[in-house]
Amino acid sequence: MSSIDIHDLTVTFPDGTTGLADVDLQVHPEEFIALIGASGSGKTTLLRTIAGFIAPSKGHVAIDGRDVTDVPPEKRRMGMVFQQHAVWPHMSVAANVEYPLKRGGVDKRERGQRVERALELVGMGGFARRRPESLSGGQRQRVALARAIVADPTVLLLDEALSALDEPLRDSLRRELVSLTRREGLTTVHVTHDRAEALSIADRIVVLGEGRIQQIAAPAELVSRPATAEVAAFIADATLLDAASLPVEPSEIIGSGETLTLAVLPHMVEVLPPGEDGIPAQVRSVLYDAGDWSLTLDALDTVFRATVRGTRPEVGDPVTMRVTGPLGYRS
Amino acid sequence: MPALPLMRVGVWLIVLGLFVTPLALVVALAAGGNQIPVLLDQGLGTAVWNSTYTTLLSALGATVVGTAIALLLDRTNARGTTVLRLFLLSPLLIPPFIGAIAWLQLFGPNQGLNRFFGTEIWNIYGADGVTFLLVLHSYPIVYVIVAAGLRSIPSDLEQAARISGAGTSTVLRTVTLPLLRPALLSAFTLTAVANLADFGIPALLGSPARFETLATMIYRFMESGTVANPLQTVSTIGVVLLFLGIASVTADHLVSRWAGSKLQDTGQALRFDLGAARWPVTIVAWVLGLAVTLGPIMGLAYRALLPAPGVPFTMDTITLDNFRRSIANPRVVEGFSNSVTLALSAAVICGVLGWIIGLLVTRTRFLGNTALTLTVLLPTALPGLIIGVGWLILGRYTGTYNTMWVILGAYVCAFTALVLQAVRAPLQGTPLAVEEAARISGAGRLWALLSTTGAMAIPAAFSGAVLVAVTAVRELTVSILLIAPGTTTLGVQVFNLQQAGNYNQASALSLMFAVVGIVALALTVRSPKVRS
């Protein structure tokens, strides 16, 4: 399996807007990378540039140390799964999966065996002769996955590959995807807008914002120590506020600069009965979340998130809020 | 009776009266006596053979050319495609018989280019000229259908092939073209039917070379009195064409239902890099586009500026007299005012009728909706001459023969389909919830339909009505058998001037037709609303 080296990658669209700016990223062999970010952050642009569908205006993409920046997509030997599965409706399941092998000049007998094995791997053995229109959405996505891995690709690219599926099917396919990529030793780049999904399946997560990499980190580090205030807000639902408006010492200060911004993550907020020592707040909303109550609180002219156990708080209840150890960001 | 069923009954009565009756009369008359021996004696075999092969060849040619142009304009990196599209699609704006008159000036025996080079490069009279003009006037329709088909192919499907190792030409061969199959089939069927039905091109380019098709044969029987019972004789031909028309409308209906169900629209399409061929392809396409646009205009201008046939073309001899005289010609003036009146009336009637029928067949579930749709669409698959014959017979029975009413009736029958086709797609795409929201807010069924979905489809119905007006004002085939002194149409006047040998005035009028059509396109392209 292959490594991906992305160096100084910049994409400017024909209308002048920036798709990516100075992106550097190294993906190790057999690593599972998730790209996340708000819509318009550049995550899909980065994936499509790796695939070769978008030509960068500056920078390089290399696979196993070989520069492929000017190599067209069909010569990159990659596998890709699209959001809307993109299974060809005019071909049988077997013909869909066989397609990359045919293009690669694999001889007929070997093609048959490899198609069969790829279909077995994604749990679609016995479906070879079926037409795509007779399959469910989840089955089509499995066929697309088989097609993406059948030719032993250098890299597996997943473009919101699970997003079109409904829970709980999505969860089970997510688990199968993880075990399949690990077992087969695939280098995988997965674009998703689902934070929980990225955190649960990736070895490392790349957070993009406005075409730039905001942070590259393993899931646990990303959650406990976001690199910027924006990443803290995006990944961990942190409330951001000026240091002057919250008289609490930060547990850690990241970065350098004049302004200090505090990021308050939900687990740093303790909710107490009204009248206790702390910041007066009011309950704005209450959601049930797997045994806990997930709250939003109005306080200090902004909205905080918190989690409590036990009795259900009511909307409008006055409470006291205590914040401990927020993260400080200098900029 | 509640309002909605009442409206349905009313629509059916109108459709039975204006669509079914004239066509049923053709069938009834044909069934009244066996005219086959007479027809065979008059050369039916040759006409059938001529019609068949020119139709199939021209439909095949148009499908190949139209598809190539669609791929070139919408899927490659050829240069200047926005303007090129206008040039390549310009034949759509010129009625086929005007196109025939124009190309005749360039490649007629001892005319235009044949005269200019002093030797006969190509004689346009005959089967090859007819086929060429049929291809020229039907490939833009293929383009429109195939371009829509291309837009409906999700770009993911092509990108998936790229990433699987397929180069651009392999993607085209293994994914794009196979997915276009329904669109190609539908384009081929539609152009084949339209070309089978065409009258102006074979009448102007075939007849002088004694090359007869079914359409010109009908005209010959009606006009020349060579057979004893012309109406019954042409009705027999009409029945054959009617069944061909029914078959093709049904086939197209099935194909579109099969094709429409599974491919969803997507955004940005894949563009194929022509590589080294980029400039050569661009240049060839531009030469072709300029030839099909400027060629006929120059041919017509050349002829229209000369005072009489045979006069050499010099700065001293050219004159605007033909324009002046044709505009002052009282029969042209009469034809113009009749055509405008008829076209506007037809546009209003077709607009309202097509809009209501569109609402009924897409927004209500009722037995007979498919039959209603197919009945209204059927005239698009029939030669205008057959609709003319049907209304001729109907006119005799109802005493409207020799009046404008019979032509107006025939226009409504022939052109309501244009409005129905325009409103069908937006109506089918409107979610049911907009009507349900009106119902839950207190509107009755009919009012909920008219005030929400119906109101939203008015712009499409209006575009359809404009198309009816534009088509009817320059139409030849439907009215040519129905005109009487005082009720002639503009198209028939141009045709008659050409047939009577007044080439210079015919060219002057044709040139005005062509230029007005092209200016109309330029305006539509500038306002994207009308285009969609």
Side-chain angles (χ1 to χ4, degrees):
Chain A
M1 266 296 140
S2 308
S3 63
I4 310 174
D5 287 284
I6 292 163
H7 180 63
D8 201 17
L9 199 68
T10 299
V11 170
T12 311
F13 290 119
D15 63 358
T17 54
T18 302
L20 293 176
D22 310 319
V23 167
D24 281 288
L25 175 66
Q26 278 74 46
V27 183
H28 312 304
E30 307 198 6
E31 193 177 23
F32 196 120
I33 289 279
L35 305 181
I36 63 170
S39 57
S41 60
K43 55 187 190 297
T44 300
T45 306
L46 179 53
L47 189 83
R48 294 169 57 80
T49 311
I50 297 174
F53 291 122
I54 297 175
S57 32
K58 197 170 72 119
H60 299 279
V61 177
I63 305 295
D64 283 335
R66 189 172 76 94
D67 190 336
V68 296
T69 316
D70 297 322
V71 175
E74 63 268 23
K75 302 258 191 274
R76 294 194 181 193
R77 292 199 54 238
M78 294 179 175
M80 185 161 175
V81 181
F82 298 81
Q83 178 168 6
Q84 298 291 344
H85 58 72
V87 170
W88 298 302
H90 60 298
M91 297 180 195
S92 68
V93 165
N96 262 281
V97 179
E98 191 186 15
Y99 191 93
L101 297 174
K102 261 188 171 171
R103 300 281 85 79
V106 176
D107 79 65
K108 195 167 180 209
R109 241 209 7 232
E110 193 189 336
R111 286 207 302 259
Q113 293 163 356
R114 286 173 71 174
V115 166
E116 208 172 303
R117 179 172 179 272
L119 286 173
E120 293 289 341
L121 272 177
V122 298
M124 292 290 287
F127 282 79
R129 292 166 162 281
R130 294 276 289 271
R131 304 291 301 182
E133 65 262 29
S134 70
L135 303 180
S136 69
Q139 289 172 328
R140 283 183 218 189
Q141 203 59 309
R142 286 166 198 265
V143 173
L145 184 59
R147 183 177 67 189
I149 60 171
V150 72
D152 293 328
T154 53
V155 170
L156 176 63
L157 304 174
L158 305 171
D159 184 6
E160 301 268 13
L162 302 172
S163 305
L165 303 175
D166 295 328
E167 297 285 5
L169 174 66
R170 188 169 165 179
D171 181 64
S172 66
L173 203 56
R174 184 184 296 146
R175 287 169 195 278
E176 287 176 38
L177 187 63
V178 173
S179 68
L180 176 74
T181 53
R182 295 281 139 80
R183 205 166 56 230
E184 300 290 311
L186 292 165
T187 306
T188 308
V189 181
H190 176 50
V191 163
T192 178
H193 61 261
D194 184 334
R195 295 173 298 177
E197 180 172 294
L199 291 168
S200 60
I201 64 181
D203 296 318
R204 284 192 301 157
I205 294 171
V206 177
V207 184
L208 283 142
E210 293 173 351
R212 289 174 188 280
I213 290 184
Q214 307 294 319
Q215 187 171 9
I216 305 174
E221 186 193 347
L222 190 66
V223 173
S224 62
R225 197 170 177 279
T228 68
E230 288 73 28
V231 174
F234 179 71
I235 287 293
D237 290 324
T239 301
L240 304 184
L241 66 175
D242 195 53
S245 52
L246 184 67
V248 181
E249 274 305 300
S251 60
E252 186 178 0
I253 292 180
I254 300 160
S256 59
E258 289 297 302
T259 18
L260 180 62
T261 305
L262 296 182
V264 181
L265 276 58
H267 72 264
M268 299 167 180
V269 177
E270 194 183 355
V271 181
L272 304 164
E276 297 269 340
D277 192 22
I279 304 159
Q282 192 173 28
V283 177
R284 174 193 267 252
S285 72
V286 183
L287 294 182
Y288 181 69
D289 182 11
D292 296 329
W293 300 107
S294 168
L295 306 185
T296 57
L297 303 168
D298 285 321
L300 303 175
D301 293 330
T302 182
V303 181
F304 291 83
R305 301 194 49 158
T307 304
V308 296
R309 289 222 148 170
T311 331
R312 179 196 164 111
E314 292 301 324
V315 172
D317 279 354
V319 291
T320 299
M321 185 180 91
R322 203 176 286 165
V323 175
T324 42
L327 293 167
Y329 293 95
R330 285 205 175 275
S331 57
Chain B
M1 203 189 229
L4 194 59
L6 201 65
M7 193 167 87
R8 191 189 305 277
V9 170
V11 163
W12 264 110
L13 286 177
I14 293 172
V15 168
L16 286 176
L18 298 185
F19 292 71
V20 179
T21 312
L23 298 176
L25 284 172
V26 171
V27 178
L29 197 60
N34 181 8
Q35 295 291 340
I36 304 279
V38 180
L39 281 165
L40 286 174
D41 189 46
Q42 288 286 332
L44 179 71
T46 317
V48 166
W49 166 240
N50 287 346
S51 280
T52 309
Y53 85 81
T54 51
T55 296
L56 293 180
L57 262 182
S58 60
L60 191 67
T63 307
V64 171
V65 174
T67 306
I69 289 175
L71 289 170
L72 175 83
L73 291 178
D74 297 355
R75 284 306 181 89
T76 68
N77 59 348
R79 298 303 298 265
T81 48
T82 313
V83 181
L84 186 56
R85 180 175 291 117
L86 299 189
F87 283 128
L88 284 172
L89 295 188
S90 68
L92 194 60
L93 305 166
I94 304 173
F97 75 98
I98 298 287
I101 292 176
W103 286 92
L104 200 50
Q105 313 310 327
L106 292 172
F107 291 107
N110 207 18
Q111 311 267 352
L113 294 177
N114 287 335
R115 193 192 180 102
F116 181 79
F117 289 108
T119 168
E120 189 163 286
I121 315 168
W122 180 43
N123 180 353
I124 198 167
Y125 285 131
D128 45 352
V130 170
T131 310
F132 170 72
L133 256 290
L134 288 175
V135 169
L136 194 67
H137 282 273
S138 49
Y139 82 72
I141 301 164
V142 174
Y143 167 82
V144 171
I145 296 168
V146 171
L150 276 175
R151 276 195 299 276
S152 74
I153 296 177
S155 54
D156 284 0
L157 292 180
E158 292 171 325
Q159 283 170 357
R162 286 295 297 280
I163 205 84
S164 305
T168 45
S169 61
T170 313
V171 174
L172 196 65
R173 184 170 51 80
T174 57
V175 176
T176 315
L177 286 177
L179 289 172
L180 271 182
R181 225 176 277 148
L184 294 176
L185 203 62
S186 146
F188 178 82
T189 318
L190 279 177
T191 49
V193 168
N195 292 351
L196 177 65
D198 194 81
F199 165 71
I201 290 172
L204 288 161
L205 300 181
S207 301
R210 309 185 68 78
F211 178 83
E212 191 168 61
T213 64
L214 287 172
T216 54
M217 195 181 196
I218 292 174
Y219 182 67
R220 174 161 69 90
F221 290 157
M222 293 303 296
E223 292 298 293
S224 64
T226 45
V227 290
N229 193 347
L231 267 182
Q232 191 168 53
T233 313
V234 302
S235 293
T236 308
I237 304 177
V239 169
V240 176
L241 294 171
L242 184 67
F243 282 110
L244 277 176
I246 291 173
S248 75
V249 166
T250 314
D252 190 56
H253 185 76
L254 293 177
V255 166
S256 68
R257 247 197 352 205
W258 173 73
S261 55
K262 34 181 190 203
L263 299 177
Q264 67 276 34
D265 239 19
T266 54
Q268 179 187 37
L270 198 60
R271 284 208 173 246
F272 299 123
D273 192 347
L274 291 171
R278 188 182 188 188
W279 281 107
V281 167
T282 302
I283 290 167
V284 168
W286 271 92
V287 168
L288 191 71
L290 289 174
V292 300
T293 310
L294 299 184
I297 289 180
M298 278 159 60
L300 289 173
Y302 165 78
R303 174 65 63 193
L305 290 171
L306 287 179
V311 177
F313 191 92
T314 64
M315 285 314 281
D316 299 327
T317 53
I318 59 167
T319 166
L320 291 176
D321 275 359
N322 290 313
F323 294 95
R324 227 169 280 142
R325 242 180 278 146
S326 58
I327 293 173
N329 183 337
R331 290 202 299 188
V332 171
V333 174
E334 178 198 296
F336 179 78
S337 97
N338 285 345
S339 278
V340 169
T341 314
L342 285 166
L344 292 179
S345 316
V348 172
I349 298 171
C350 293
V352 174
L353 191 59
W355 177 68
I356 292 174
I357 292 172
L359 284 173
L360 285 180
V361 298
T362 58
R363 309 304 293 191
T364 66
R365 288 180 161 275
F366 200 77
L367 208 66
N369 276 352
T370 309
L372 187 59
T373 310
L374 294 183
T375 309
V376 174
L377 293 184
L378 179 60
T380 56
L382 293 180
L385 284 175
I386 292 304
I387 296 167
V389 170
W391 277 88
L392 189 62
I393 307 168
L394 185 64
R396 296 225 170 127
Y397 280 122
T398 54
T400 51
Y401 184 56
N402 286 351
T403 68
M404 299 257 275
W405 293 107
V406 73
I407 305 178
L408 182 60
Y411 280 1
V412 171
C413 172
F415 302 134
T416 302
L418 297 175
V419 180
L420 180 59
Q421 282 163 334
V423 296
R424 234 173 8 149
L427 281 176
Q428 277 163 344
T430 311
L432 192 59
V434 300
E435 277 156 48
E436 289 169 345
R439 290 296 296 282
I440 211 83
S441 312
R445 268 199 82 185
L446 181 64
W447 184 241
L449 184 64
L450 295 180
S451 64
T452 58
T453 321
M456 288 153 78
I458 285 175
F462 184 79
S463 308
V466 170
L467 192 57
V468 170
V470 171
T471 311
V473 81
R474 36 185 223 177
E475 173 287 329
L476 165 70
T477 324
V478 177
S479 56
I480 194 158
L481 296 179
L482 297 173
I483 51 148
T487 68
T488 52
T489 60
L490 189 55
V492 176
Q493 289 297 0
V494 177
F495 182 77
N496 285 345
L497 279 173
Q498 175 76 19
Q499 291 295 73
N502 194 341
Y503 300 146
N504 303 75
Q505 273 198 37
S507 293
L509 278 174
S510 299
L511 183 60
M512 290 189 269
F513 258 82
V515 169
V516 167
I518 288 169
V519 169
L521 171 74
L523 292 177
T524 1
V525 168
R526 278 182 55 190
S527 85
K529 254 189 208 159
V530 186
R531 225 170 129 205
S532 61

